[in-house]
Amino acid sequence: MEALIPVINKLQDVFNTVGSDSIQLPQIVVLGSQSSGKSSVIESVVGRSFLPRGTGIVTRRPLILQLIHCPLEDREHRSAENGTVNAEEWGRFLHSKKCFTDFNDIRNEIDNETDRVAGSNKGICPEPINLKIFSTRVVNLTLVDLPGITKVPVGDQPEDIEAQIKDLVIKYIENPNSIILAVTAANTDMATSEALKLAKDVDPDGRRTLAVVTKLDLMDAGTDAIDILCGRVIPVKLGIIGVMNRSQQDIMDKKNIDDQMKDEAAFLQRKYPTLATRNGTPYLAKTLNRLLMHHIRDCLPDLKTRVNIMSTQFQSLLNSYGEDVSDKSQTLLHIITKFSSAYCSTIEGTARNIETTELCGGARLCYIFHEIFGRTLDSIHPLAGLTKMDILTAIRNATGPRPALFVPEVSFELLVKRQIRRLEEPSLRCVELIHEEMQRIVQHCGNEVQQEMLRFPKLHEKIVDVVTQLLRCRLPATNVMVENIVAIELAYINTKHPDFHKEAALVPSLLKTDNDPYSQSRRTNTSRNNMSPQVSAHNSVAQNQQQMQQSHQQMHTQQQQQQQQNQQNDTHDQISTTFYGLLLSRNHVGENSTGSWLSNILPPAPNRPDSMENSANNTPVHNNMVSPLKPVNLLPDVPAIANPRRLTDKEQKDCDVIERLIKSYFYIVRKSIQDSVPKAIMHFLVNYVKDNLQSELVTHLYKSEKAETLLNESDHIAVRRKEAADMLKALTRANHIISEIRETHMW
């Protein structure tokens, strides 16, 4: 198991090279309040004084420290080139290839690197410093030293320094593969420990938290840490270990770490004899080594799976970015062909990657044809915008000055053409929707093509321009064809259409009514012809008698009419004299009732033979002279719009016939347009673009002088390809490192 820690160190080096935090490696994170003794604990474990020391915040960047046990006979890490063949201990930073044998130089390098990135104003920076220490006296460990938790900004520190440090600490300790080393000073109350509080927040079960109590020699007189070290105050599952650090005076006096270790052992034997073997810096180092090895063993299977999964993901990502372009003309032609194929496949529905969340491509075209366009046509009522008076007015206008005996066919044609024209606007709108959808398909025609478009933005712009221009040039021809489809229906109203002919054949039966006298006489004659011979003989005798009586009555009536004719001739002159007087009298007496004067000049009704005499007798005469107040030959103005009124039975029947014919023929035309318009759009727009897209792209784009500019990659794609390649290389190396571990190493 001792070999597991170097394996993790190698993995740490691999992923630190690419600067990735995606792989959560097992490590020990040192956590504690400011000036609680974190750095002193690390120095005690290493056995050397190499960390920046002082009052206030000193650790301002995370320090990833890898301790590597390196015996003198080890030839893997020692080399004559670096001068480390016979060296007992040395250090090396990841950002520098130089080997440091003087630990004072290591301290200075940490200070310089911290100031370089974090500045000299006591601010912090989350970017870590990586340091390896090779020694014959250390155990294999990976430690992370974090800035101390503070509450109040000091000097030039920002106001949110507490939040910054807390976020940085949580980022490291929330890694489930890390062991939390919570450092707390013995001369403070354990219940107020910020380190234990944060550790409990991310590790509520305490399965990966180890507590370290420092400054045991600085406790108040009369107090001890037995209850704390035994876990009676705050229990910690992995245990609580007490250590004694060098004081600030010892540091200033440059007290040796070895001397400090001896003093620590003597203090524990004197103060805590029963707990001395389970406390102290040597026991802490061995415990950390053991915990880390077991933790690595538990995390290694998941780590290997994670590395394999990420290798596959980054390989796919690198493939999506494509390889570097060597032959630009060939690459350009390949992209044009791929785009054309993807565009046509998206329309036809034969693309490899079928969308399941929304309609796309040809499915949207079908939806426009049959759902949007079809339902819009179905929602247009055949008689929308037509009233009974409109139809009646059209019938009257079609007959001219003659009253109509039959429904004129011209009125039907005028009205049905007016309704058919209402189908043109939805048809043209359908063309616009298909045009917009064809333009939209450019942005949604395959993931492979989209990656190429992102990789070459200038080529993408030119392809969009060519497709847009091709669609735009086909739009007028498609609109003209759709307009012609409607114009064709308007050009000839085919009343002999098979579906319409049946409806037209019903018109005579609709006009035929029960009140027709001709039909009544026909029915009477028919009923007579169906009588028996006896009844018909009896009826013939009765008819002869009636005819004789009628002849006598006619002779008597003729005599009376002759007498009345003589009387009318006598009064004719008197009527003529009083005619104009009657008009003037009516106009003078009742000017507000101009419409009633016609009743005085119409001939008398047949059932009132004395109306003429009464009219003549009652006509007022103004001294037999015509009044010059108003002209007598003016008629009322003809109204521009017919006044609404109740239609007669004949007018109602005529309107019903026209309405029924309009409905029938409109349905026929609507069905034809609903079928013809999608076909025209497919032929003139969709299929034309599919057939000519590749040739248009080759004509406009495939030129040697344009290939250089069109295939210039965008900057972010080149950067991402390099990052993906580096990460894939690191993952491949990590996979090899993990594969080298044998089962025997894990137990």
Side-chain angles (χ1 to χ4, degrees):
M1 284 182 61
E2 191 70 25
L4 294 179
I5 295 178
V7 168
I8 296 301
N9 290 340
K10 291 179 182 179
L11 294 178
Q12 194 110 39
D13 294 342
V14 168
F15 291 111
N16 286 334
T17 304
V18 296
S20 174
D21 297 330
S22 55
I23 295 293
Q24 297 174 328
L25 297 175
Q27 57 192 4
I28 298 173
V29 180
V30 183
L31 168 66
S33 299
Q34 185 173 300
S35 300
S36 61
K38 303 184 305 302
S39 298
S40 297
V41 170
I42 294 177
E43 285 183 343
S44 298
V45 172
V46 175
R48 282 286 187 171
S49 177
F50 65 95
L51 295 177
R53 307 300 295 271
T55 58
I57 184 168
V58 178
T59 305
R60 297 187 290 125
R61 288 180 61 183
L63 176 66
I64 299 178
L65 178 62
Q66 296 178 1
L67 302 182
I68 301 173
H69 179 68
C70 185
L72 290 175
E73 61 273 11
D74 184 11
R75 292 294 176 262
E76 181 182 356
H77 301 100
R78 298 176 181 270
S79 66
E81 181 181 355
N82 297 329
T84 59
V85 175
N86 298 319
E88 289 192 2
E89 50 194 3
W90 70 93
R92 188 170 64 226
F93 290 93
L94 187 64
H95 63 270
S96 174
K97 299 301 181 183
K98 180 181 177 182
C99 290
F100 296 87
T101 55
D102 187 351
F103 281 80
N104 291 324
D105 294 338
I106 293 177
R107 181 188 300 112
N108 295 332
E109 182 67 20
I110 293 175
D111 283 334
N112 296 334
E113 187 67 15
T114 301
D115 292 340
R116 184 182 66 83
V117 178
S120 57
N121 61 348
K122 300 294 184 181
I124 68 168
C125 177
E127 184 178 345
I129 299 175
N130 291 83
L131 172 63
K132 288 184 180 181
I133 292 182
F134 302 86
S135 175
T136 58
R137 301 187 300 172
V138 299
V139 294
N140 291 321
L141 278 181
T142 301
L143 301 170
V144 180
D145 187 18
L146 295 176
I149 302 170
T150 184
K151 293 291 185 182
V152 181
V154 177
D156 296 332
Q157 288 181 346
E159 293 296 327
D160 61 341
I161 186 66
E162 179 187 0
Q164 289 185 20
I165 294 177
K166 186 175 180 180
D167 293 341
L168 177 61
V169 168
I170 290 178
K171 174 185 174 183
Y172 280 89
I173 65 176
E174 67 182 358
N175 174 9
N177 293 336
S178 65
I179 296 176
I180 303 172
L181 189 64
V183 178
T184 304
N187 56 358
T188 61
D189 193 349
M190 288 283 288
T192 62
S193 173
E194 283 288 333
L196 290 176
K197 179 181 180 301
L198 289 177
K200 191 172 184 180
D201 290 341
V202 298
D203 182 30
D205 297 334
R207 294 181 178 178
R208 54 188 183 91
T209 302
L210 175 67
V212 175
V213 179
T214 62
K215 304 181 182 180
L216 291 176
D217 55 329
L218 299 181
M219 295 185 68
D220 292 338
T223 60
D224 58 36
I226 293 179
D227 291 341
I228 296 175
L229 297 177
C230 292
R232 302 190 188 107
V233 178
I234 296 178
V236 180
K237 283 191 177 181
L238 295 184
I240 301 175
I241 300 176
V243 297
M244 188 181 76
N245 301 330
R246 291 183 300 168
S247 65
Q248 188 64 32
Q249 185 64 44
D250 293 336
I251 296 173
M252 294 172 61
D253 296 339
K254 297 183 180 180
K255 184 178 180 180
N256 197 324
I257 297 290
D258 293 336
D259 296 338
Q260 172 62 27
M261 301 279 278
K262 294 176 182 178
D263 293 342
E264 179 190 45
F267 172 79
L268 291 175
Q269 286 292 341
R270 183 179 70 254
K271 189 71 174 178
Y272 307 100
T274 58
L275 302 177
T277 57
R278 289 183 285 121
N279 289 277
T281 302
Y283 181 78
L284 174 62
K286 294 178 181 178
T287 302
L288 291 176
N289 177 263
R290 176 177 53 83
L291 291 175
L292 185 58
M293 285 191 298
H294 285 82
H295 197 64
I296 292 172
R297 184 193 63 185
D298 296 338
C299 298
L300 205 55
D302 292 337
L303 185 63
K304 186 173 183 179
T305 303
R306 176 72 174 162
V307 169
N308 290 332
I309 292 175
M310 290 188 64
S311 298
T312 305
Q313 293 175 346
F314 275 90
Q315 183 65 57
S316 301
L317 182 62
L318 187 60
N319 293 338
S320 67
Y321 292 142
E323 299 178 356
D324 291 335
V325 179
S326 55
D327 188 350
K328 292 194 173 183
S329 297
Q330 182 180 357
T331 303
L332 180 60
L333 185 60
H334 176 70
I335 293 175
I336 290 175
T337 305
K338 184 188 292 187
F339 174 81
S340 303
S341 176
Y343 190 87
C344 297
S345 299
T346 304
I347 295 177
E348 295 171 357
T350 57
R352 287 185 296 176
N353 298 322
I354 300 296
E355 287 286 342
T356 58
T357 56
E358 63 175 355
L359 293 178
C360 63
R364 291 180 67 89
L365 302 184
C366 179
Y367 184 85
I368 293 173
F369 284 145
H370 302 290
E371 296 294 331
I372 299 178
F373 177 62
R375 289 185 177 180
T376 302
L377 291 190
D378 291 340
S379 65
I380 299 177
H381 194 273
L383 301 177
L386 280 182
T387 63
K388 296 281 188 181
M389 293 306 299
D390 293 339
I391 298 175
L392 184 60
T393 302
I395 294 175
R396 289 180 175 180
N397 290 336
T399 57
R402 297 171 301 281
L405 292 176
F406 305 102
V407 179
E409 186 176 349
V410 178
S411 62
F412 161 71
E413 290 194 6
L414 291 175
L415 293 174
V416 80
K417 285 181 179 180
R418 171 182 167 183
Q419 299 305 102
I420 291 173
R421 285 190 186 94
R422 301 178 67 240
L423 300 175
E424 183 175 4
E425 183 179 353
S427 302
L428 294 176
R429 178 58 183 159
C430 181
V431 178
E432 294 178 6
L433 292 177
I434 296 298
H435 174 265
E436 294 172 1
E437 191 57 39
M438 295 282 286
Q439 188 72 41
R440 183 176 179 268
I441 293 176
V442 178
Q443 309 296 334
H444 303 82
C445 58
N447 294 329
E448 302 86 355
V449 178
Q450 293 304 316
Q451 289 294 334
E452 299 288 351
M453 298 299 102
L454 292 175
R455 184 181 178 188
F456 306 111
K458 293 183 179 180
L459 177 61
H460 182 213
E461 293 176 4
K462 290 297 295 182
I463 287 178
V464 172
D465 290 342
V466 172
V467 176
T468 302
Q469 187 63 30
L470 179 60
L471 290 171
R472 188 180 294 121
C473 74
R474 293 305 302 169
L475 193 59
T478 309
N479 284 331
V480 168
M481 184 59 199
V482 171
E483 291 172 354
N484 287 338
I485 291 176
V486 179
I488 288 170
E489 298 292 344
L490 294 172
Y492 181 65
I493 305 300
N494 183 17
T495 56
K496 288 292 185 180
H497 192 281
D499 296 334
F500 181 75
H501 187 62
K502 301 175 183 178
E503 195 73 26
L506 298 176
V507 172
S509 63
L510 295 174
L511 296 174
K512 190 175 182 181
T513 62
D514 293 338
N515 296 327
D516 189 356
Y518 176 73
S519 61
Q520 288 181 354
S521 63
R522 289 279 305 270
R523 286 195 297 270
T524 303
N525 294 334
T526 303
S527 62
R528 287 176 179 175
N529 293 334
N530 293 334
M531 290 181 183
S532 61
Q534 293 83 1
V535 175
S536 60
H538 181 271
N539 290 340
S540 62
V541 175
Q543 288 177 0
N544 292 333
Q545 293 178 357
Q546 290 178 358
Q547 290 176 357
M548 292 177 64
Q549 292 177 359
Q550 289 176 358
S551 62
H552 290 295
Q553 290 177 358
Q554 289 176 356
M555 292 176 63
H556 180 68
T557 302
Q558 290 176 358
Q559 292 177 358
Q560 290 180 350
Q561 290 177 351
Q562 187 64 31
Q563 293 176 359
Q564 291 176 359
Q565 184 67 30
N566 294 333
Q567 292 177 358
Q568 290 176 359
N569 292 334
D570 293 338
T571 59
H572 178 69
D573 296 335
Q574 184 178 0
I575 293 173
S576 301
T577 304
T578 60
F579 179 73
Y580 287 102
L582 174 63
L583 293 177
L584 294 175
S585 172
R586 288 289 182 182
N587 290 334
H588 180 70
V589 175
E591 291 180 355
N592 294 330
S593 59
T594 56
S596 62
W597 66 276
L598 291 173
S599 62
N600 294 316
I601 64 174
L602 292 175
N607 57 353
R608 295 180 60 188
D610 57 341
S611 62
M612 184 64 73
E613 295 178 356
N614 295 335
S615 175
N617 294 332
N618 296 331
T619 302
V621 179
H622 296 273
N623 297 327
N624 295 329
M625 294 180 64
V626 178
S627 174
L629 296 178
K630 289 187 178 181
V632 297
N633 57 349
L634 291 180
L635 294 176
D637 293 336
V638 179
I641 301 176
N643 296 325
R645 59 179 177 82
R646 184 181 181 86
L647 302 182
T648 63
D649 292 342
K650 183 177 183 305
E651 291 172 344
Q652 183 67 39
K653 291 175 183 176
D654 292 347
C655 291
D656 292 342
V657 169
I658 292 295
E659 287 181 355
R660 186 161 182 174
L661 294 178
I662 289 175
K663 283 184 179 179
S664 176
Y665 198 80
F666 182 85
Y667 289 146
I668 294 172
V669 174
R670 185 175 71 183
K671 182 178 179 181
S672 175
I673 289 179
Q674 198 168 349
D675 178 65
S676 300
V677 168
K679 293 179 178 178
I681 295 175
M682 286 297 297
H683 176 71
F684 283 88
L685 183 61
V686 180
N687 290 342
Y688 184 90
V689 171
K690 284 169 48 182
D691 296 339
N692 296 274
L693 177 60
Q694 184 168 355
S695 61
E696 288 288 327
L697 290 174
V698 171
T699 302
H700 290 84
L701 302 182
Y702 190 63
K703 297 178 181 178
S704 58
E705 63 273 9
K706 289 186 176 182
E708 293 292 331
T709 58
L710 293 178
L711 293 182
N712 287 333
E713 282 187 320
S714 60
D715 295 336
H716 72 280
I717 290 294
V719 172
R720 289 182 180 178
R721 184 195 297 107
K722 184 178 182 304
E723 291 176 352
D726 292 343
M727 190 63 185
L728 182 61
K729 184 177 179 181
L731 289 168
T732 305
R733 175 64 181 154
N735 203 3
H736 289 324
I737 292 173
I738 296 175
S739 300
E740 292 174 358
I741 301 175
R742 300 292 182 262
E743 290 294 330
T744 55
H745 293 164
M746 300 181 63
W747 302 100

